[in-house]
Amino acid sequence: LAKTTQPISMDSYEGQEVNITCSHNNIATNDYITWYQQFPSQGPRFIIQGYKTKVTNEVASLFIPADRKSSTLSLPRVSLSDTAVYYCLVGGANQAGTALIFGKGTTLSVSS
Amino acid sequence: DVKVTQSSRYLVKRTGEKVFLECVQDMDHENMFWYRQDPGLGLRLIYFSYDVKMKEKGDIPEGYSVSREKKERFSLILESASTNQTSMYLCASSFVRGGAYEQYFGPGTRLTVT
Protein backbone atom coordinates (compact mmCIF):
# COMPACT_ATOMS: atom_id res chain seq x y z
CA LEU A 1 0.00 0.00 0.00
CA ALA A 2 1.24 3.46 -0.86
CA LYS A 3 1.65 5.29 2.44
CA THR A 4 1.69 9.05 2.08
CA THR A 5 3.58 11.65 4.08
CA GLN A 6 2.84 15.37 4.14
CA PRO A 7 4.05 18.26 6.29
CA ILE A 8 1.74 18.78 9.25
CA SER A 9 1.45 22.52 8.75
CA MET A 10 2.57 25.43 6.61
CA ASP A 11 2.28 29.18 6.94
CA SER A 12 2.05 31.73 4.16
CA TYR A 13 1.04 35.27 3.39
CA GLU A 14 -1.56 36.50 0.99
CA GLY A 15 -0.33 36.73 -2.58
CA GLN A 16 2.43 34.16 -2.20
CA GLU A 17 2.71 30.87 -4.05
CA VAL A 18 2.42 27.84 -1.80
CA ASN A 19 3.84 24.42 -2.61
CA ILE A 20 2.78 21.40 -0.55
CA THR A 21 4.67 18.17 -1.16
CA CYS A 22 3.38 14.66 -0.56
CA SER A 23 5.70 11.65 -0.45
CA HIS A 24 4.42 8.27 -1.63
CA ASN A 25 7.40 5.98 -2.09
CA ASN A 26 5.37 2.81 -2.67
CA ILE A 27 2.99 4.17 -5.28
CA ALA A 28 1.67 1.46 -7.57
CA THR A 29 1.59 1.56 -11.35
CA ASN A 30 -2.18 2.04 -11.45
CA ASP A 31 -2.31 4.68 -8.71
CA TYR A 32 -3.26 8.27 -9.33
CA ILE A 33 -2.56 11.23 -7.05
CA THR A 34 -5.49 13.37 -5.96
CA TRP A 35 -5.57 16.42 -3.73
CA TYR A 36 -8.50 17.57 -1.61
CA GLN A 37 -9.17 20.72 0.39
CA GLN A 38 -11.14 20.71 3.62
CA PHE A 39 -12.58 23.61 5.59
CA PRO A 40 -13.77 23.23 9.19
CA SER A 41 -17.12 21.46 9.55
CA GLN A 42 -17.20 20.51 5.88
CA GLY A 43 -16.33 17.44 3.87
CA PRO A 44 -13.21 17.49 1.67
CA ARG A 45 -13.49 19.05 -1.76
CA PHE A 46 -11.69 17.80 -4.87
CA ILE A 47 -8.94 20.13 -6.13
CA ILE A 48 -6.84 18.34 -8.72
CA GLN A 49 -5.74 14.90 -9.88
CA GLY A 50 -2.87 13.57 -11.95
CA TYR A 51 -0.85 10.52 -12.96
CA LYS A 52 2.44 11.97 -14.15
CA THR A 53 4.18 15.19 -15.21
CA LYS A 54 2.12 18.34 -14.70
CA VAL A 55 -1.58 19.03 -14.45
CA THR A 56 -3.09 22.50 -14.16
CA ASN A 57 -6.63 23.69 -13.60
CA GLU A 58 -8.19 26.98 -12.61
CA VAL A 59 -7.22 26.74 -8.95
CA ALA A 60 -3.98 24.75 -8.71
CA SER A 61 -1.16 22.89 -10.40
CA LEU A 62 0.09 19.42 -9.63
CA PHE A 63 3.68 18.43 -10.34
CA ILE A 64 4.62 14.75 -10.44
CA PRO A 65 8.23 13.75 -11.17
CA ALA A 66 9.09 10.84 -13.43
CA ASP A 67 9.60 8.38 -10.57
CA ARG A 68 6.18 9.35 -9.12
CA LYS A 69 7.44 8.89 -5.56
CA SER A 70 6.26 12.36 -4.62
CA SER A 71 3.93 15.07 -5.84
CA THR A 72 3.63 18.80 -5.23
CA LEU A 73 0.43 20.79 -5.07
CA SER A 74 1.04 24.38 -6.08
CA LEU A 75 -1.42 27.13 -5.13
CA PRO A 76 -0.67 30.39 -6.90
CA ARG A 77 -1.18 33.69 -5.06
CA VAL A 78 -3.01 32.36 -2.02
CA SER A 79 -5.64 34.38 -0.20
CA LEU A 80 -7.05 34.19 3.32
CA SER A 81 -9.81 31.91 2.04
CA ASP A 82 -7.21 29.26 1.12
CA THR A 83 -6.65 28.60 4.82
CA ALA A 84 -7.66 24.96 5.08
CA VAL A 85 -6.38 21.42 5.43
CA TYR A 86 -5.02 19.86 2.25
CA TYR A 87 -4.99 16.11 1.78
CA CYS A 88 -3.02 14.03 -0.65
CA LEU A 89 -4.67 10.78 -1.75
CA VAL A 90 -3.00 7.98 -3.64
CA GLY A 91 -5.03 5.24 -5.26
CA GLY A 92 -6.65 4.00 -8.41
CA ALA A 93 -10.08 2.84 -9.53
CA ASN A 94 -9.21 -0.74 -8.76
CA GLN A 95 -12.16 -2.80 -7.67
CA ALA A 96 -9.99 -5.67 -6.49
CA GLY A 97 -9.16 -4.42 -3.04
CA THR A 98 -9.44 -0.69 -2.93
CA ALA A 99 -6.54 0.96 -1.19
CA LEU A 100 -7.29 4.63 -1.03
CA ILE A 101 -4.68 6.09 1.25
CA PHE A 102 -5.16 9.64 2.44
CA GLY A 103 -2.26 11.52 3.93
CA LYS A 104 -2.81 13.00 7.38
CA GLY A 105 -3.24 16.41 5.87
CA THR A 106 -1.36 19.69 5.80
CA THR A 107 -2.90 22.63 7.62
CA LEU A 108 -2.21 25.74 5.58
CA SER A 109 -2.55 29.06 7.39
CA VAL A 110 -2.61 32.19 5.25
CA SER A 111 -2.11 35.54 6.93
CA SER A 112 -2.55 39.08 5.68
CA ASP B 1 -23.80 20.27 -8.66
CA VAL B 2 -23.26 16.91 -7.04
CA LYS B 3 -25.04 16.62 -3.76
CA VAL B 4 -24.17 14.13 -1.07
CA THR B 5 -26.33 14.28 2.02
CA GLN B 6 -25.92 12.57 5.33
CA SER B 7 -28.83 11.86 7.63
CA SER B 8 -27.51 13.72 10.67
CA ARG B 9 -24.84 16.34 11.37
CA TYR B 10 -24.61 15.38 15.03
CA LEU B 11 -25.55 12.15 16.78
CA VAL B 12 -25.18 11.00 20.37
CA LYS B 13 -25.59 7.31 21.16
CA ARG B 14 -24.98 5.05 24.11
CA THR B 15 -22.51 2.21 24.26
CA GLY B 16 -24.02 -0.98 22.87
CA GLU B 17 -26.65 0.72 20.73
CA LYS B 18 -27.05 -0.13 17.07
CA VAL B 19 -26.35 2.95 14.98
CA PHE B 20 -27.32 3.65 11.39
CA LEU B 21 -25.66 6.40 9.37
CA GLU B 22 -27.34 7.13 6.07
CA CYS B 23 -25.84 8.68 2.97
CA VAL B 24 -27.65 9.66 -0.23
CA GLN B 25 -26.18 10.96 -3.49
CA ASP B 26 -28.07 12.43 -6.40
CA MET B 27 -25.59 12.03 -9.28
CA ASP B 28 -26.09 8.38 -10.20
CA HIS B 29 -22.53 7.56 -9.15
CA GLU B 30 -21.56 3.91 -9.09
CA ASN B 31 -19.09 4.27 -6.25
CA MET B 32 -19.71 5.25 -2.65
CA PHE B 33 -17.43 5.37 0.37
CA TRP B 34 -17.50 5.67 4.13
CA TYR B 35 -14.57 7.23 5.99
CA ARG B 36 -13.92 8.21 9.54
CA GLN B 37 -11.84 11.23 10.39
CA ASP B 38 -9.97 11.62 13.65
CA PRO B 39 -7.57 14.34 14.77
CA GLY B 40 -4.01 13.56 13.74
CA LEU B 41 -5.06 10.51 11.73
CA GLY B 42 -6.67 12.08 8.69
CA LEU B 43 -9.31 10.17 6.75
CA ARG B 44 -9.41 6.41 6.93
CA LEU B 45 -11.54 4.29 4.64
CA ILE B 46 -14.02 2.01 6.38
CA TYR B 47 -15.94 0.51 3.44
CA PHE B 48 -16.37 1.07 -0.24
CA SER B 49 -19.18 0.05 -2.59
CA TYR B 50 -18.77 -0.05 -6.36
CA ASP B 51 -22.30 -1.18 -7.18
CA VAL B 52 -25.60 -2.06 -5.58
CA LYS B 53 -25.11 -4.88 -3.06
CA MET B 54 -21.35 -4.87 -3.69
CA LYS B 55 -18.86 -3.83 -1.03
CA GLU B 56 -15.18 -3.90 -0.25
CA LYS B 57 -13.48 -3.54 3.10
CA GLY B 58 -11.27 -0.52 3.59
CA ASP B 59 -8.51 0.01 6.11
CA ILE B 60 -10.61 -0.17 9.27
CA PRO B 61 -13.78 -2.25 8.76
CA GLU B 62 -13.79 -3.86 12.21
CA GLY B 63 -16.91 -3.00 14.17
CA TYR B 64 -18.74 -1.71 11.10
CA SER B 65 -20.95 -3.09 8.37
CA VAL B 66 -22.57 -1.47 5.34
CA SER B 67 -25.63 -1.82 3.20
CA ARG B 68 -26.29 -0.69 -0.35
CA GLU B 69 -29.70 -1.78 -1.54
CA LYS B 70 -30.20 1.16 -3.92
CA LYS B 71 -27.66 2.94 -6.06
CA GLU B 72 -28.15 6.31 -4.43
CA ARG B 73 -28.03 5.17 -0.81
CA PHE B 74 -25.16 3.77 1.24
CA SER B 75 -25.61 3.03 4.91
CA LEU B 76 -22.99 2.52 7.60
CA ILE B 77 -24.00 0.36 10.54
CA LEU B 78 -22.39 0.15 13.93
CA GLU B 79 -23.78 -3.10 15.29
CA SER B 80 -22.86 -2.31 18.90
CA ALA B 81 -21.47 1.16 19.32
CA SER B 82 -18.38 1.62 21.46
CA THR B 83 -16.70 4.75 22.77
CA ASN B 84 -13.74 4.28 20.41
CA GLN B 85 -16.15 4.78 17.53
CA THR B 86 -16.69 8.38 18.55
CA SER B 87 -15.57 10.22 15.44
CA MET B 88 -16.51 12.28 12.39
CA TYR B 89 -17.97 10.04 9.68
CA LEU B 90 -17.78 11.17 6.09
CA CYS B 91 -19.59 9.69 3.14
CA ALA B 92 -18.49 10.22 -0.45
CA SER B 93 -19.65 9.24 -3.89
CA SER B 94 -17.61 9.28 -7.06
CA PHE B 95 -17.32 8.63 -10.73
CA VAL B 96 -14.12 7.44 -12.35
CA ARG B 97 -12.11 10.02 -14.29
CA GLY B 98 -9.28 8.40 -16.24
CA GLY B 99 -8.14 5.67 -13.86
CA ALA B 100 -9.03 7.22 -10.53
CA TYR B 101 -11.94 8.32 -8.40
CA GLU B 102 -13.07 11.91 -8.18
CA GLN B 103 -14.89 11.88 -4.89
CA TYR B 104 -17.62 14.20 -3.65
CA PHE B 105 -18.07 14.31 0.09
CA GLY B 106 -21.05 14.93 2.31
CA PRO B 107 -20.86 17.35 5.25
CA GLY B 108 -20.13 14.62 7.77
CA THR B 109 -21.82 13.20 10.86
CA ARG B 110 -20.17 13.81 14.19
CA LEU B 111 -20.98 10.76 16.28
CA THR B 112 -20.45 10.69 20.02
CA VAL B 113 -20.78 7.38 21.85
CA THR B 114 -21.13 7.71 25.61
Side-chain angles (χ1 to χ4, degrees):
Chain A
L1 300 180
K3 179 181 176 181
T4 61
T5 303
Q6 307 173 229
I8 293 174
S9 63
M10 296 183 69
D11 296 315
S12 183
Y13 291 97
E14 283 188 294
Q16 290 189 333
E17 178 184 76
V18 171
N19 296 307
I20 306 174
T21 297
C22 180
S23 298
H24 28 80
N25 290 322
N26 297 324
I27 190 168
T29 302
N30 295 330
D31 286 342
Y32 281 66
I33 299 126
T34 310
W35 285 82
Y36 290 84
Q37 175 192 54
Q38 187 178 26
F39 298 111
S41 301
Q42 294 184 22
R45 182 176 70 101
F46 173 89
I47 302 174
I48 197 167
Q49 183 179 85
Y51 183 81
K52 61 181 178 180
T53 64
K54 177 183 175 181
V55 179
T56 297
N57 62 21
E58 62 276 9
V59 298
S61 294
L62 178 59
F63 299 92
I64 305 168
D67 66 6
R68 305 199 328 121
K69 293 183 184 297
S70 66
S71 58
T72 299
L73 173 72
S74 181
L75 304 172
R77 297 182 300 280
V78 294
S79 65
L80 295 176
S81 63
D82 292 315
T83 294
V85 180
Y86 292 82
Y87 289 97
C88 162
L89 168 63
V90 173
N94 177 10
Q95 293 183 0
T98 299
L100 297 174
I101 309 296
F102 272 89
K104 294 183 179 180
T106 298
T107 300
L108 173 64
S109 299
V110 180
S111 304
S112 58
Chain B
D1 275 354
V2 175
K3 191 167 185 181
V4 178
T5 57
Q6 297 184 227
S7 49
S8 305
R9 290 301 303 270
Y10 300 93
L11 207 53
V12 179
K13 295 292 182 180
R14 293 190 180 277
T15 301
E17 280 193 86
K18 190 169 187 175
V19 181
F20 292 88
L21 302 182
E22 301 281 331
C23 176
V24 178
Q25 52 99 359
D26 67 356
M27 282 301 291
D28 201 37
H29 286 164
E30 301 288 339
N31 308 289
M32 296 188 75
F33 309 78
W34 274 106
Y35 293 89
R36 65 177 282 175
Q37 183 172 33
D38 300 287
L41 297 178
L43 283 84
R44 294 179 291 167
L45 181 65
I46 304 172
Y47 267 99
F48 157 60
S49 170
Y50 54 90
D51 202 350
V52 174
K53 298 189 186 294
M54 306 305 290
K55 62 185 179 184
E56 291 264 352
K57 292 180 179 179
D59 288 337
I60 51 166
E62 297 79 18
Y64 303 95
S65 62
V66 290
S67 173
R68 190 152 179 219
E69 297 296 319
K70 293 184 178 181
K71 192 174 187 180
E72 68 272 17
R73 189 178 298 270
F74 191 34
S75 302
L76 180 69
I77 303 154
L78 288 66
E79 294 290 341
S80 178
S82 63
T83 54
N84 63 12
Q85 292 178 310
T86 291
S87 185
M88 170 68 82
Y89 290 88
L90 290 159
C91 174
S93 72
S94 84
F95 62 94
V96 175
R97 184 192 296 276
Y101 301 111
E102 183 171 323
Q103 297 181 67
Y104 293 83
F105 284 83
T109 296
R110 185 164 295 282
L111 172 67
T112 302
V113 182
T114 62

